[in-house]
Amino acid sequence: MAKHHIHAQINGDDVEYLCETEETLLDVLRDTLHLTGSKEGCASGDCGACSVMLDGRLVCSCLVLGCEMHGRTVETIEGMAQGETLHPLQQRFLEHAALQCGICTPGVLVASKALLERNNDPTETEVRYWLAGNLCRCTGYDKIVTAVMDTAAAMRKG
Amino acid sequence: MRYEAPDSVEGAVALLAGARGDARVLAGGTDLLVQMRADILDPELIVDIKKISETRTITEEKGGWRIGAAVTGAELKEHTKLKKAWPGVVEAANLIGSTQVQGRATLGGNLCNGSPAADSVPALIAAGAVATLAGPQGRRDLPVEDVMLGPRKLALQKGEIVVSFLLPPKPPRSSDAYLRFIPRTEMDIAVVGAGVSLTVDGGGVITAARVGLGAVAARVLLVTEAAQVIIGSRLDEAAQGRLEAAARAVCRPIDDKRGTVDFRVDVAAVLTRRAALIALDRARAN
Amino acid sequence: MADTATNGHAQSFVGTRTIRPDGVDKVTGRARFGADFNLPGQLIGRVLRSPHPHARIVSIDTSKAEALPGVKAVITRDDFADQPSEFIPAGEMMMNYKDVVRNVMAREKALYEGHAVAAVAATSAAIARRALKLIDVKYEVLPHVIDAVAAMQPGAPLLHDDLFTAGVEPKPDKPSNVAKRIEIKLGDLEAGFKAADLVIEREFKTAPVHQGYIEPHAALASVSEDGTTELWCTTQGHFIVRAHCARLLGLDMGKVRVTATEIGGGFGGKTVVYLEPLAIALSRKAKRPVKMVMSREEVFKASGPTSGATVRVKMGVKKDGKLVAAFAELKYQAGAFQGSPVQPGVFCAFAPYDIENVHVIGYDVVSNRPKVAAYRAPGAPISEYAVESVVDEIAKKLDIDPVDLRLQNAAHEGTKAAYGPKFGPIGLEETLNAIKKTEHWNAPLRKWQGRGVASGFWFNIGGETCASLTVNEDGTVSLVAGTPDIGGLRASLTAVAADELGVPYDKVRPIIGDTGSIGFNFLTGGSRSAFSGSMAIVEAAKQIKSELCARACKLWEAKPEQVEFSGGAVRPLGALAEKVKPMTIADFAKVAGKTGGPIGGVGRINAQGAGPSFGTHMVDLEVDPETGRATILRYTVAQDAGRALHPAYVEGQYQGGAVQGIGWALNEEYIYGEDGKLQNAGFLDYRMPVASDVPMIDTVLVEVANPKHPYGVRGVGETPIVPPLGAIANAMEQATGIRFTELPMSPPRVLKALKEKGLRKA
């Protein structure tokens, strides 16, 4: 059974890899490409810790096959900061202490970024429902929501 | 395990028809990959239909809407005209899972996964959606309520796939709504799902109705009795009572980790009434 | 800015909202958690688990698996020496190595669905999975029992034929599933009930729940030919892991070096070993590194969810509201081996109250479920749910405000708790009064809405702790702590070190050292890591300050009373100040070699004086009477932190614990079939709160300084999960008129109760 030979773009870089049919994009990111920022919490799409952007769409990478990626674009948490400059969301998460253990944080950040790119003035309810697919067990979500809304306000001010 | 991504319906059909072992269609993958990971499925062949443009488009057709089987919930939500025409169908598709899941999940996959709790199916049935299938014998149309026969049992022949859905033209003063009951606010599989589609006349009297109920029987039900008892009414309290009773009467649910029989029957009645009221409001506004 | 706060220390970073030092790595995905570690040449390990909840293991044939190409090692019970029975403290519970070795790898019996029976290491995950299917295990399936009360019945399936109930007289001659009976007594219970004007007795039931950490267990082991072992694992206590693994595998502790990776949640569930001894055993056999990660299903089936329990509470009160008698009987599931948290459940049950006559009995009961591990204030949420519900019912029956009733009976400084100690200064009354001062307290409620209040407590622990501070040649400071940082500890310790030494916050860099780099540290648990860690840092800083003063005396030819350390420097006093200038830490660092050598200090303590943290929660909720679904509308936590080293992370503990409690109260439960198998071993049907399920959690930081800590700190991590169950049940009662004595209060249960009371119409 030959492996699939995939060319994709990941965080702006052209990337080439081999994968078996049953390997998910998450498996490929973590085990083949050593991009371990995306996490496996459940492998069933219920926790969001593996969230990435696929062609500009927020998805769970555990629910995407690695062999589907030919010619596609993926953005992971590793691509969120620009050089030494953190994305405003990343900065505000630190300022608001919107993380405790940090395992859900990459997924939450990727998901939050996707929200703010579509809607730069979300209500608290919109933020909560958008992030409903990102489980956090430590924070109770309070400071996460505050950080996202605070970032939205700052980004609106420009 | 083989993976193929044909760019034509005929190509997909040929692959599936010719497969020796278990062959599965991959659209959004939000059910297939979970089942593979849980060792429930171990297909020999995966046929990815997303390269087939017919499965990925939303087009107006003869006053209705043709939706490709592999269009995602998120794409449906972003289609302003479709959302305006069929808010119930679109909101149902966007209740599946999470934002991430909606970025991949499709109407075709939601139906063909064969779960009576599928969120989009009651809404599609209420809308009167018809599935266009393609197989080795050619194409045929099947009302959505006739596609799912039971848990994981479909009316599809070997090699047949769902290519698209056709939502019929909407008369004026029509609309639809979908409600589901889950214990949390998101993420759960529907314990009950109710889709209602209505048309009212100039005086606000219901002239046509369709009701789809999910998760209360071995398949998603088209509840003709429920529709009949509200036609000719303005959905006053008495009509609501009849509607609830009709919903109750068709329920043949199970006790499981998501709900008891009693609970499902009670809530089916409540949601059918509530969904009908929302559809009514929307229909009047149209 | 120097602010002299409690206990007389000048402070500038402590108490402020600094950016945590490990934060940038966590928001960029750079931080390495357990499953993020890899070694060249590593094998993938997977575990074969019993499909039966109770079965004798007749035989295990691994020959076909061993013959599969790519399989490099297979282990079973034969690879672990049996262990004699010996109790040792682990977290806040006691463990027996005879049980530990059997939990890690089943021996005579499989005692729960998911119990490890064998493990393989192979060159890929796919081969490992195939290899498991080739292992032939012959089981003799036995009847099983899950519920604690059912397991206590005579004739119930017996898990261990050598388990005789401890704590009963005369000693039983027949084995049973009751591992022990404990009790605490104060005063004269019978007299108390006689004097009562009102007696209320209720029985409550809770289902087992899981800690729910998002990161599954993970371990990577590498054993050399001479037995030197390196282990990376996600754990709350790497020294405890070392101790367990050394014991189970017959290794010298000094030869085992354990690195605690960043940890994606624990809440007590990662204080014990599961994969670690297996990974080491496989690596030893295969002579290659072995990486093992649990799937989510394995986490639910084979780690340590907490007890389900049955609790009976009977309380007597005088009509003016004075509680005069309190009785409780607790029956807790321990899982497959003894050691439920029934003892802390017993201790905590009535602890928030000053009652003269108390009697609490507890039973530790084994049943065919995974062995319970600690879950945040283990045992207390269950017993305090029951007690807080009865207290609420008393308040309603006597028409006394529920907060006032608690104030009237609140434990305070000098109260003798029924479990032994006399409380020092504590903040329970302060939290109750703080609740009354909130805007939430007076907010109006509509029909089908209800407000509930409950208090709770955790005693907190100190324990063995080592931490070091080293001054680098450029004056920066390296801090090594030894308790894994689960939620922001490094920020707090850094602030303390910075303030103690008078150096800027970002000139102190902390790490969590591995077991080879720092002395023994008890695990992160018992809400002890900030409390004990900061004490050890203070001690380490003291050593540095005293050393630098001594060096200054040599340099300046001065006497000790002529110098003092303050504001980051050794300062000359009096007349000496005209002759010499102060020397900062950086100044000393430049001349360290010439003045005596490297500069550093190590705090090695057994931290004493942990102060309990009391909390009071208030919650508003609304019930949909047609579906039974409850929506949390508003939530306030008031809790005593003693002194918040980092206010944001203290608030975070309050909020996170409250939301875990919301899940426990409303939707979380282990659902077993008649066959004893878990039906909801995933995040889909094990329903933890998602972001849209909860509102903002408002917090009130109460600070009643703990006089036994240099900064007044009290541990805060566990108390927040104790009040929510009672508070939410009390709110449900006000919203529906129904007292729910069974958790979770899931919609089917609520709707059924509403129907039975004829309350269903909106």
Side-chain angles (χ1 to χ4, degrees):
Chain A
M1 220 171 343
K3 287 193 181 183
H4 303 278
H5 187 181
I6 304 294
H7 288 262
Q9 218 191 53
I10 302 192
N11 297 328
D13 293 331
D14 290 323
V15 165
E16 205 180 321
Y17 62 82
L18 298 174
C19 69
E20 308 270 14
T21 301
E22 55 267 28
E23 283 183 88
T24 64
L25 173 59
L26 181 63
D27 295 332
V28 169
L29 287 171
R30 289 182 54 82
D31 300 333
T32 308
L33 300 175
H34 307 299
L35 292 167
T36 54
S38 308
K39 309 295 180 193
E40 177 174 309
C42 69
S44 57
D46 296 308
C47 76
C50 66
S51 299
V52 301
M53 300 296 286
L54 173 55
D55 290 340
R57 184 71 75 187
L58 179 67
V59 299
C60 282
S61 56
C62 74
L63 294 182
V64 176
L65 290 178
C67 58
E68 290 183 71
M69 292 298 94
H70 200 67
R72 314 287 291 277
T73 311
V74 180
E75 295 160 64
T76 72
I77 181 66
E78 286 92 345
M80 198 160 162
Q82 296 299 312
E84 269 184 33
T85 312
L86 294 177
H87 186 281
L89 274 169
Q90 291 169 308
Q91 184 59 40
R92 287 220 153 58
F93 266 52
L94 292 177
E95 289 165 11
H96 285 280
L99 59 145
Q100 286 179 34
C101 80
I103 193 81
C104 75
T105 306
V108 173
L109 283 169
V110 170
S112 303
K113 179 164 176 271
L115 170 63
L116 295 186
E117 280 168 358
R118 268 163 184 65
N119 178 359
N120 73 348
D121 193 6
T123 63
E124 181 189 332
T125 303
E126 285 173 325
V127 173
R128 289 184 180 275
Y129 274 86
W130 182 271
L131 292 179
N134 289 85
L135 284 182
C136 174
R137 195 58 161 169
C138 293
T139 67
Y141 304 104
D142 185 295
K143 292 182 191 296
I144 290 175
V145 174
T146 301
V148 172
M149 299 201 53
D150 193 33
T151 308
M155 284 170 83
R156 284 195 302 275
K157 281 209 190 88
Chain B
M1 195 184 292
R2 267 167 61 215
Y3 166 87
E4 304 285 351
D7 58 10
S8 71
V9 170
E10 296 68 38
V13 167
L15 282 164
L16 290 165
R20 265 161 306 171
D22 187 29
R24 296 279 160 170
V25 172
L26 172 66
T30 55
D31 286 316
L32 179 64
L33 267 64
V34 175
Q35 288 161 27
M36 280 165 56
R37 203 41 171 269
D39 267 336
I40 297 171
L41 289 179
D42 188 14
E44 192 233 9
L45 166 66
I46 292 178
V47 178
D48 184 347
I49 61 168
K50 296 193 290 293
K51 288 215 172 80
I52 304 170
S53 55
E54 211 184 326
T55 68
R56 296 278 303 128
T57 49
I58 304 172
T59 45
E60 292 190 69
E61 182 177 305
K62 301 193 195 116
W65 288 91
R66 184 160 293 280
I67 306 173
V71 172
T72 68
E75 288 164 333
L76 291 172
K77 191 152 113 179
E78 286 162 4
H79 198 287
T80 328
K81 279 183 92 174
L82 178 67
K83 199 166 144 191
K84 195 158 185 283
W86 292 101
V89 171
V90 174
E91 71 196 347
N94 281 281
L95 283 172
I96 302 171
S98 59
T99 311
Q100 288 87 340
V101 168
Q102 289 143 29
R104 294 279 289 178
T106 65
L107 293 178
N110 198 223
L111 174 64
C112 293
N113 184 43
S115 166
D119 274 313
S120 66
V121 182
L124 284 174
I125 289 177
V130 172
T132 296
L133 313 178
Q137 257 69 50
R139 296 203 176 204
R140 59 180 177 128
D141 285 342
L142 209 52
V144 169
E145 61 267 24
D146 293 333
V147 175
M148 195 193 303
L149 303 173
R152 306 216 185 287
K153 258 187 79 186
L154 306 175
L156 270 51
Q157 313 287 349
K158 178 167 170 140
E160 254 189 328
I161 61 168
V162 176
V163 177
S164 59
F165 297 93
L166 182 66
L167 297 179
K170 284 190 88 157
R173 287 187 296 274
S174 299
S175 196
D176 65 340
Y178 174 78
L179 285 178
R180 67 168 181 187
F181 181 85
I182 51 170
R184 294 181 290 181
T185 53
E186 282 283 299
M187 297 305 288
D188 296 325
I189 297 290
V191 181
V192 174
V196 178
S197 174
L198 298 174
T199 305
V200 295
D201 67 18
V205 174
I206 298 171
T207 56
R210 279 176 70 93
V211 175
L213 259 184
V216 294
R219 56 192 289 188
V220 183
L221 302 173
L222 168 66
V223 194
T224 44
E225 307 78 31
Q228 273 156 18
V229 298
I230 59 173
I231 289 173
S233 81
R234 283 194 184 79
L235 208 51
D236 55 298
E237 274 206 40
Q240 290 176 35
R242 293 194 301 274
L243 179 64
E244 288 200 20
R248 283 176 176 279
V250 297
C251 289
R252 293 174 309 269
I254 53 171
D255 265 345
D256 71 3
K257 60 190 178 237
R258 295 172 188 147
T260 59
V261 167
D262 281 350
F263 182 75
R264 286 186 151 113
V265 173
D266 286 337
V267 175
V270 171
L271 290 192
T272 306
R273 176 192 10 108
R274 290 180 180 178
L277 288 167
I278 296 172
L280 185 67
D281 272 343
R282 288 174 176 169
R284 287 202 195 120
N286 274 357
Chain C
M1 173 202 86
D3 172 34
T4 308
T6 55
N7 296 14
H9 279 70
Q11 302 170 39
S12 61
F13 293 102
V14 169
T16 67
R17 295 166 190 260
T18 54
I19 303 285
R20 59 196 280 174
D22 56 310
V24 172
D25 281 356
K26 293 210 161 148
V27 297
T28 56
R30 184 177 290 107
R32 284 169 303 172
F33 293 80
D36 300 333
F37 278 85
N38 295 290
L39 281 174
Q42 71 186 14
L43 304 169
I44 303 299
R46 293 213 61 80
V47 181
L48 182 67
R49 300 185 179 280
S50 166
H52 307 292
H54 196 193
R56 203 167 301 282
I57 301 173
V58 175
S59 65
I60 308 176
D61 181 355
T62 60
S63 54
K64 287 204 204 80
E66 289 175 62
L68 184 68
V71 172
K72 301 301 180 188
V74 180
I75 56 171
T76 66
R77 55 193 172 180
D78 297 335
D79 293 276
F80 290 90
D82 203 351
Q83 299 286 332
S85 186
E86 182 190 351
F87 281 98
I88 41 109
E92 289 140 318
M93 309 194 291
M94 298 295 279
M95 284 169 65
N96 190 318
Y97 270 121
K98 181 168 184 238
D99 295 339
V100 175
V101 72
R102 280 163 176 75
N103 195 37
V104 155
M105 185 67 84
R107 288 184 93 80
E108 302 85 6
K109 283 188 181 184
L111 289 160
Y112 52 97
E113 183 209 10
H115 199 167
V117 171
V120 307
T123 51
S124 77
I127 294 175
R129 273 200 299 274
R130 244 180 288 147
L132 292 185
K133 294 195 176 117
L134 294 173
I135 299 177
D136 187 13
V137 183
K138 294 227 174 352
Y139 295 100
E140 181 201 323
V141 179
L142 301 167
H144 62 273
V145 62
I146 303 276
D147 178 74
V149 171
M152 289 173 82
Q153 304 309 312
L158 192 67
L159 272 71
H160 305 283
D161 50 26
D162 59 351
L163 186 63
F164 297 85
T165 311
V168 296
E169 291 300 326
K171 285 196 71 160
D173 55 1
K174 277 209 188 66
S176 77
N177 292 323
V178 183
K180 78 174 174 201
R181 178 190 187 282
I182 54 166
E183 69 185 316
I184 56 171
K185 274 185 176 151
L186 197 63
D188 180 345
L189 192 73
E190 242 192 85
F193 278 121
K194 275 216 182 76
D197 296 320
L198 171 68
V199 173
I200 295 190
E201 182 171 0
R202 288 270 193 181
E203 187 167 281
F204 300 83
K205 203 166 151 72
T206 70
V209 294
H210 195 276
Q211 299 83 349
Y213 33 84
I214 307 299
E215 179 204 31
H217 299 260
L220 170 62
S222 183
V223 182
S224 311
E225 282 71 9
D226 66 352
T228 305
T229 298
E230 286 188 291
L231 178 70
W232 293 259
C233 60
T234 176
T235 177
Q236 292 173 239
H238 44 319
F239 290 87
I240 302 299
V241 170
R242 181 180 70 171
H244 287 340
C245 291
R247 174 72 177 245
L248 294 175
L249 295 157
L251 303 165
D252 286 348
M253 282 197 205
K255 265 187 152 159
V256 180
R257 187 164 166 199
V258 185
T259 300
T261 67
E262 297 295 339
I263 172 173
F267 313 108
K270 290 179 178 162
T271 56
V272 291
V273 291
Y274 300 105
L275 298 176
E276 298 81 354
L278 304 183
I280 294 175
L282 284 167
S283 178
R284 185 159 66 175
K285 237 181 177 177
K287 304 278 187 294
R288 284 168 67 166
V290 174
K291 177 172 174 176
M292 301 182 77
V293 182
M294 277 198 193
S295 68
R296 179 51 50 185
E297 186 185 347
E298 287 178 296
V299 173
F300 276 114
K301 286 186 173 168
S303 61
T306 195
S307 315
T310 298
V311 178
R312 188 161 59 92
V313 171
K314 184 175 170 187
M315 294 180 77
V317 61
K318 291 208 106 57
K319 55 175 179 280
D320 69 353
K322 173 114 186 76
L323 295 169
V324 289
F327 170 80
E329 185 184 63
L330 284 50
K331 295 170 182 165
Y332 281 31
Q333 282 171 335
F337 302 94
Q338 61 183 297
S340 75
V342 69
Q343 182 158 303
V346 164
F347 286 6
C348 293
F350 296 108
Y353 301 103
D354 186 355
I355 309 175
E356 266 180 32
N357 310 297
V358 178
H359 185 197
V360 188
I361 303 172
Y363 294 95
D364 185 32
V365 184
V366 299
S367 68
N368 294 113
R369 287 189 56 230
K371 164 79 182 67
V372 309
Y375 179 15
R376 204 165 195 165
I382 297 168
S383 61
E384 294 197 55
Y385 152 59
V387 170
E388 289 301 288
S389 296
V390 172
V391 169
D392 191 66
E393 193 171 350
I394 287 173
K396 301 261 158 79
K397 288 224 159 77
L398 295 180
D399 201 20
I400 298 177
D401 175 276
V403 175
D404 287 337
L405 181 68
R406 289 179 174 83
L407 278 167
Q408 185 183 353
N409 292 281
H412 46 260
E413 183 168 1
T415 300
K416 183 164 167 64
Y419 69 95
K422 236 194 202 160
F423 287 132
I426 55 173
L428 174 57
E429 283 166 339
E430 283 80 353
T431 67
L432 288 161
N433 286 317
I435 286 291
K436 287 180 88 168
K437 287 208 193 81
T438 61
E439 205 195 299
H440 181 178
W441 176 242
N442 286 310
L445 291 169
R446 295 202 302 258
K447 188 166 199 262
W448 293 109
Q449 294 181 345
R451 178 169 299 148
V453 173
S455 296
F457 127 113
W458 188 252
F459 43 85
N460 298 331
I461 63 172
E464 294 182 82
T465 311
C466 286
S468 71
L469 292 172
T470 303
V471 179
N472 303 309
E473 308 93 273
D474 62 353
T476 58
V477 178
S478 294
L479 186 164
V480 180
T483 47
D485 179 355
I486 306 191
L489 171 72
R490 276 164 288 188
S492 299
L493 296 185
T494 302
V496 169
D499 284 2
E500 287 292 311
L501 295 177
V503 298
Y505 179 84
D506 65 359
K507 297 296 183 190
V508 179
R509 298 305 299 180
I511 63 166
I512 305 297
D514 62 50
T515 56
S517 308
I518 191 78
F520 178 80
N521 275 268
F522 193 52
L523 48 79
T524 297
S527 307
R528 70 175 219 92
S529 59
F531 169 80
S532 315
S534 56
M535 259 188 184
I537 294 294
V538 166
E539 175 57 34
K542 230 189 244 164
Q543 293 168 17
I544 291 175
K545 289 188 273 195
S546 133
E547 168 68 19
L548 295 184
C549 285
R551 293 188 188 196
C553 284
K554 267 222 183 84
L555 283 173
W556 299 336
E557 289 170 20
K559 294 208 187 62
E561 53 272 19
Q562 290 179 285
V563 308
E564 79 166 6
F565 188 101
S566 75
V570 179
R571 297 177 192 280
L573 299 172
L576 186 61
E578 287 150 39
K579 296 208 208 105
V580 291
K581 280 197 170 36
M583 282 182 71
T584 64
I585 290 191
D587 293 334
F588 276 105
K590 284 202 196 84
V591 296
K594 283 185 270 188
T595 56
I599 304 168
V602 183
R604 294 190 192 88
I605 60 173
N606 189 347
Q608 303 296 309
S613 179
F614 282 87
T616 300
H617 291 206
M618 173 165 56
V619 58
D620 290 354
L621 55 79
E622 180 173 320
V623 175
D624 180 342
E626 294 192 306
T627 65
R629 182 156 110 193
T631 302
I632 305 287
L633 300 173
R634 197 165 180 173
Y635 203 108
T636 303
V637 175
Q639 186 180 329
D640 177 17
R643 168 87 173 137
L645 294 175
H646 193 304
Y649 289 108
V650 171
E651 290 162 358
Q653 292 297 315
Y654 295 2
Q655 294 164 334
V659 172
Q660 281 183 317
I662 290 171
W664 195 334
L666 293 181
N667 270 311
E668 292 178 41
E669 57 178 324
Y670 264 51
I671 301 173
Y672 286 98
E674 290 287 309
D675 56 4
K677 300 191 185 183
L678 184 61
Q679 295 184 339
N680 60 336
F683 282 141
L684 178 61
D685 290 305
Y686 183 81
R687 292 182 266 270
M688 298 180 356
V690 298
S692 43
D693 288 337
V694 293
M696 294 297 189
I697 310 289
D698 296 328
T699 58
V700 180
L701 277 183
V702 169
E703 289 180 314
V704 174
N706 174 7
K708 302 222 174 102
H709 185 280
Y711 284 78
V713 168
R714 297 175 191 274
V716 294
E718 288 169 284
T719 300
I721 201 177
V722 181
L725 308 190
I728 293 167
N730 296 339
M732 286 293 266
E733 197 280 332
Q734 189 175 80
T736 62
I738 300 170
R739 168 95 20 219
F740 286 92
T741 56
E742 191 167 350
L743 296 183
M745 294 173 281
S746 55
R749 193 169 269 148
V750 174
L751 190 62
K752 184 160 184 258
L754 287 171
K755 281 177 76 175
E756 280 164 7
K757 282 237 162 153
L759 291 170
R760 247 201 88 214
K761 275 303 153 201

